[in-house]
Amino acid sequence: MTIAQSRMTSQGQVSIPAEVRRRLGLGPGSLIEWDEAGEAILVRRAGRYSSADLRAALFPDGAAPHDGGDFKAGIRAHMRRRHGRR
C-alpha cells in the first residue's frame, strides 16, 4: 500500500510528504534513518526501535542474556560493530 510519492531532485534531495511526516511524528530538525530489510529500504524516525529490534541487534545468534552482565556485553559489542570502535 503506497502512502505517498516523492520525486528526487538532481542533488539527491527528497521531500517527505506531509502524511508520512504526520505518521512518523517528524518536525524540523528530526533525524530519520534508512535501513535495509531484504529487498526493501525502510525509513523510520531515529531512535524508535521495538524490543525485538533491540534484541536482534544485541543478540544476533538469538541467545537470551542470563544476567545484566550479558546484556551490557551485548550492548558494548553492538556499539563496536555499529560505530567501528574497538
Side-chain angles (χ1 to χ4, degrees):
M1 170 178 86
T2 301
I3 298 171
Q5 292 182 341
S6 296
R7 188 175 307 272
M8 186 170 56
T9 69
S10 61
Q11 294 180 346
Q13 297 173 335
V14 177
S15 293
I16 301 171
E19 177 64 16
V20 175
R21 291 192 313 265
R22 185 186 64 75
R23 286 187 184 193
L24 293 177
L26 298 174
S30 292
L31 185 63
I32 59 172
E33 294 180 332
W34 303 78
D35 196 11
E36 186 175 3
E39 295 292 319
I41 300 295
L42 300 175
V43 179
R44 66 175 156 222
R45 182 176 182 172
R48 288 195 174 177
Y49 296 100
S50 69
S51 60
D53 292 335
L54 293 174
R55 184 181 187 85
L58 296 175
F59 305 101
D61 62 353
H66 296 291
D67 61 24
D70 289 345
F71 190 72
K72 288 179 183 180
I75 292 171
R76 276 193 295 279
H78 173 70
M79 295 304 287
R80 287 181 183 130
R81 282 192 307 269
R82 180 160 185 181
H83 298 288
R85 295 186 181 138
R86 301 218 182 249

